[in-house]
């Protein structure tokens, strides 16, 4: 009988569809970003990222608790310091906003896995991810500061550090510093293939980290490059990365897939601020079915090969998955 092959047989009802489903999402795939600010009782919505907040540590603790109760195992922390300077000293201050929050959250919620973003851009006046001299972002002098920052996070109790600066050699510098200071068990999740993307726009409002001159194209990757992502990831693995990340996610699914197929390390993908804001805008305008689009996007990132997804949708998606 024609046709012999009828793929629709396996789509007949929800039971068989679920039985043959190739990709599934779980709240345990998610890492939830938190923006920690100084002060008390502060919960300020980020205008370009509805339902995301800059929070003082007391409020962020509540958010972290909620994430955990929804089955999200991990958070990643970004700090908004009280003062910025040219060397980003708030980044490696033992009483910095992130360091203080780590101590608090590990004390109150020891079962929450705490990852820190290691970068200088939120802490420098010029908003760049490294040390600046004569308009240039210097590589090697930055490594020492990043290593100091990573060690100070580990010392405060962070479970994992995640460098996002894109300086060459930073994974090795951080690995060495952590090992020297007795943190040889602290893993590094490297933002390995991080592109110079316009999708970070809303985050820069959230983290108050917009570069005050120029842009990040001399350190973040050029979006048209695909093979170069393999090179960046191999270097980070050689230098000691435990998990490698692709960022952004949605416009870079080919890169996630390449990395998954080329290496055996866990792969993370960052579903970044602009990807999130677009969906929120579409929902506000009534143009899309927000929940379905969100789940489809997250599933696509997992299907492309990501084991872990950093996403602002984490709580909303977990609520749907837990139903
Ligand atoms: C810091 C950093 C950025 C993001 C994560 N870490 C911004 C940037 O590189 O400009 C972006 C996250 C997002 O857009 O959600 N270097």
């Amino acid at each position: 009988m024609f046709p012999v092959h009828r793929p629709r047989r396996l789509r007949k009802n929800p039971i068989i569809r679920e039985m043959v489903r190739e990709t599934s999402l779980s709240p345990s795939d998610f890492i939830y970003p938190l923006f920690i600010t100084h002060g008390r009782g502060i919960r300020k919505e980020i205008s370009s990222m509805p339902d995301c907040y800059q929070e003082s540590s007391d409020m962020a603790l509540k958010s972290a608790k909620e994430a955990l109760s929804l089955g999200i195992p991990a958070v990643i922390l970004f700090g908004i310091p009280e003062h910025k300077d040219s060397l980003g000293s708030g980044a490696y201050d033992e009483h910095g906003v992130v360091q203080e929050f780590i101590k608090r959250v590990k004390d109150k919620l020891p079962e929450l896995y705490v990852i820190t973003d290691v970068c200088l851009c939120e802490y420098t006046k010029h908003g760049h991810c490294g040390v600046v001299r004569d308009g240039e972002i210097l590589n090697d002098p930055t490594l020492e500061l990043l290593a100091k920052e990573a060690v100070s996070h580990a010392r405060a109790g962070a479970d994992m550090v995640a460098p996002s600066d894109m300086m060459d050699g930073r994974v090795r510098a951080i690995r060495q510093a952590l090992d020297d200071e007795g943190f040889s068990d602290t893993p590094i999740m490297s933002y390995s293939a991080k592109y110079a993307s316009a999708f970070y726009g809303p985050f820069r409002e959230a983290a108050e980290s917009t570069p005050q001159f120029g842009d990040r194209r001399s350190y973040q990757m050029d979006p048209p490059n695909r093979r170069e992502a393999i090179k960046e990831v191999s270097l980070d693995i050689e230098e000691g990365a435990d998990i490698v990340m692709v960022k952004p996610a949605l416009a870079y699914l080919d890169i996630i897939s390449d990395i998954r197929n080329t290496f055996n390390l866990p792969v993370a993908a960052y579903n970044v601020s602009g990807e999130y804001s677009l969906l929120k805008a579409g929902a506000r305008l009534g143009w899309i079915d927000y929940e379905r689009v969100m789940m489809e996007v997250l599933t696509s990132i997992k299907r492309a090969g990501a084991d872990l997804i950093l996403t602002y949708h984490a709580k909303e998606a977990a609520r749907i998955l837990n139903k």
Side-chain angles (χ1 to χ4, degrees):
M1 228 179 51
F2 174 82
V4 175
H5 297 290
R6 291 180 183 271
R8 290 184 56 191
R9 289 180 194 123
L10 300 183
R11 294 179 201 140
K12 200 174 176 81
N13 63 41
I15 305 170
I16 187 64
R17 284 200 295 273
E18 187 166 351
M19 286 167 69
V20 299
R21 193 159 289 154
E22 297 175 35
T23 307
S24 62
L25 277 178
S26 149
S28 63
D29 300 330
F30 302 144
I31 298 172
Y32 185 61
L34 291 173
F35 297 102
I36 318 293
T37 189
H38 43 88
R40 275 189 56 204
I42 293 164
R43 189 156 201 257
K44 188 171 148 226
E45 191 169 30
I46 298 150
S47 63
S48 54
M49 297 175 71
D51 304 317
C52 286
Y53 302 86
Q54 290 184 348
E55 295 173 300
S56 51
S57 84
D58 51 336
M59 304 304 274
L61 188 66
K62 290 184 190 163
S63 290
K65 202 169 177 173
E66 192 188 13
L68 191 61
S69 73
L70 288 165
I72 299 160
V75 293
I76 182 160
L77 308 180
F78 296 94
I80 303 139
E82 199 159 7
H83 304 289
K84 300 187 187 229
D85 57 32
S86 63
L87 292 177
S89 58
Y92 36 88
D93 174 354
E94 68 172 302
H95 298 295
V97 70
V98 163
Q99 287 82 351
E100 290 297 328
F101 181 69
I102 301 168
K103 290 175 216 159
R104 186 164 186 164
V105 76
K106 289 307 293 183
D107 178 47
K108 297 280 193 294
L109 299 172
E111 65 281 29
L112 181 73
Y113 199 85
V114 176
I115 306 170
T116 58
D117 183 84
V118 173
C119 197
L120 298 179
C121 62
E122 300 120 71
Y123 304 92
T124 50
K125 271 202 164 125
H126 46 68
H128 277 289
C129 306
V131 175
V132 172
R133 193 189 306 143
D134 302 330
E136 292 259 341
I137 291 80
L138 303 182
N139 196 87
D140 300 10
T142 303
L143 300 183
E144 199 185 316
L145 303 183
L146 294 167
K148 258 167 82 171
E149 180 179 8
V151 167
S152 81
H153 291 167
R155 201 168 275 141
D159 294 297
M160 184 189 280
V161 294
S164 68
D165 52 283
M166 288 301 275
M167 296 299 126
D168 295 331
R170 92 276 209 201
V171 174
R172 173 152 304 160
I174 290 171
R175 183 71 274 156
Q176 185 105 47
L178 288 171
D179 291 355
D180 289 349
E181 297 295 322
F183 299 105
S184 54
D185 290 337
T186 304
I188 299 173
M189 173 165 72
S190 179
Y191 288 67
S192 302
K194 176 173 179 179
Y195 288 85
S197 171
F199 281 96
Y200 307 150
F203 172 94
R204 292 183 186 168
E205 178 202 333
E208 299 174 10
S209 64
T210 308
Q212 299 304 301
F213 67 88
D215 54 41
R216 303 209 203 290
R217 283 179 233 231
S218 76
Y219 42 108
Q220 298 180 346
M221 285 179 63
D222 198 23
N225 292 3
R226 183 167 181 176
R227 292 188 303 270
E228 194 190 1
I230 307 268
K231 173 174 149 187
E232 281 285 2
V233 170
S234 343
L235 290 173
D236 282 2
I237 295 174
E238 247 172 64
E239 291 180 27
D242 298 280
I243 299 178
V244 290
M245 195 198 297
V246 175
K247 178 183 173 196
L250 211 41
Y252 299 83
L253 293 176
D254 54 334
I255 310 299
I256 298 174
S257 168
D258 285 355
I259 304 302
R260 164 75 303 140
N261 293 329
T262 311
F263 302 99
N264 287 320
L265 267 67
V267 177
Y270 203 137
N271 175 217
V272 300
S273 57
E275 301 172 21
Y276 172 84
S277 301
L278 284 178
L279 265 57
K280 284 284 178 189
R284 284 203 171 172
L285 287 165
W287 288 353
I288 57 166
D289 178 337
Y290 176 77
E291 292 196 346
R292 285 192 58 199
V293 171
M294 167 180 74
M295 296 313 275
E296 194 171 325
V297 162
L298 294 170
T299 303
S300 76
I301 298 169
K302 184 98 185 271
R303 191 188 60 228
D307 303 289
L308 301 164
I309 306 173
L310 295 90
T311 179
Y312 306 100
H313 295 295
K315 287 186 190 177
E316 296 171 311
R319 274 192 204 99
I320 292 172
L321 293 167
N322 290 336
K323 261 188 211 151

